Amino acid sequence: MSRRSGILEFAVLGLLRESPMHGYELRKRLNTSLGVFRAFSYGTLYPCLKTLVANGWLIEETGAGPQDAPATPLAGRRAKIVYRLTAEGKEHFEELLSQTGPDAYEDEHFAARFAFFGQTSRDVRMRVLEGRRSRLEERLEKMRLSFARTRERLDDYTLELQRHGMESVEREVRWLNELIESERAGRDQQRSGPGDAAQQDTSGETGGLPRHRDSTRPDPSDDTAM
């Protein structure tokens, strides 16, 4: 399985865990909710769905999707196929959610993982965030060294492009720092005991996302931040 197809399977299972959907709705959700899939076709999605069905993680049902209004089927009109997660599929997705290997820190995979952080345990979220930050800090150091070695040989526009790339990575590192601190604060509140229940309600299992004072928060699926 390629890394790209693995990410797609993960995202499809995650979306179907929320509710059954037909192919068109799945593609729309992947495009709009998960920016990493902005450009992909039905020719990519349907083979993925067939594989998941063959593995026993999805089942196909004939009928209207959950968002479709009830209507009398037109004669000769092909019924929509709705995809539903099986118990085995849910178990497999939960297993994928618990994984925190190096792939989880890479650009595309991290964006997909982050989209399902609401379904991910706090400890796993922390490991993924810290791994992603470490990966970006390594990347940033290499970019700075490269910039220092080549700046005298590059024209102004190329230098500006390199500065933009470094600033994008620096911005994501700052964003990750905020998220990690927020997760730690939520974990500390949870450990403080029932006497602080009022404070726990403000963060809950999700830890509470940081409140941003501006709109500079990077999009995890934005290639310019990678």
Side-chain angles (χ1 to χ4, degrees), residues 43-211:
T44 302
L45 175 59
Y46 281 107
C48 172
L49 291 170
K50 294 298 182 184
T51 298
L52 295 175
V53 170
N55 288 338
W57 297 330
L58 301 182
I59 57 174
E60 296 177 329
E61 299 175 337
T62 303
Q67 305 301 322
D68 294 334
T72 303
L74 297 177
R77 184 174 180 177
R78 184 177 179 182
K80 291 181 179 179
I81 300 298
V82 176
Y83 296 90
R84 183 185 299 275
L85 199 65
T86 64
E88 292 80 6
K90 182 178 180 181
E91 182 179 348
H92 179 62
F93 178 69
E94 290 173 351
E95 179 184 344
L96 294 176
L97 279 180
S98 69
Q99 296 177 2
T100 58
D103 281 353
Y105 317 147
E106 298 298 336
D107 297 347
E108 290 185 342
H109 207 151
F110 174 75
R113 288 298 300 268
F114 190 84
F116 296 100
F117 262 22
Q119 304 180 42
T120 307
S121 69
R122 188 191 307 276
D123 289 344
V124 171
R125 290 198 304 265
M126 281 290 290
R127 290 196 293 272
V128 173
L129 290 172
E130 289 174 341
R132 174 66 175 174
R133 180 176 63 180
S134 177
R135 182 64 51 85
L136 288 183
E137 287 173 341
E138 292 174 2
R139 184 183 302 177
L140 186 58
E141 182 61 23
K142 291 178 181 178
M143 294 173 74
R144 287 169 174 164
L145 290 173
S146 176
F147 183 77
R149 287 196 304 265
T150 61
R151 62 182 305 168
E152 299 300 328
R153 303 194 301 271
L154 300 177
D155 61 66
D156 291 343
Y157 294 101
T158 305
L159 286 173
E160 192 60 32
L161 184 62
Q162 289 196 3
R163 289 193 187 96
H164 173 69
M166 286 191 295
E167 289 170 359
S168 297
V169 177
E170 289 169 347
R171 185 168 61 249
E172 186 173 348
V173 170
R174 290 194 299 270
W175 173 66
L176 289 167
N177 286 335
E178 291 182 3
L179 290 172
I180 290 168
E181 289 306 312
S182 178
E183 291 288 346
R184 286 175 178 163
R187 183 168 60 188
D188 291 343
Q189 288 177 1
Q190 194 174 49
R191 288 175 175 173
S192 61
D196 295 320
Q199 285 188 340
Q200 291 178 26
D201 288 344
T202 65
S203 61
E205 173 61 18
T206 61
L209 293 176
R211 297 179 180 273

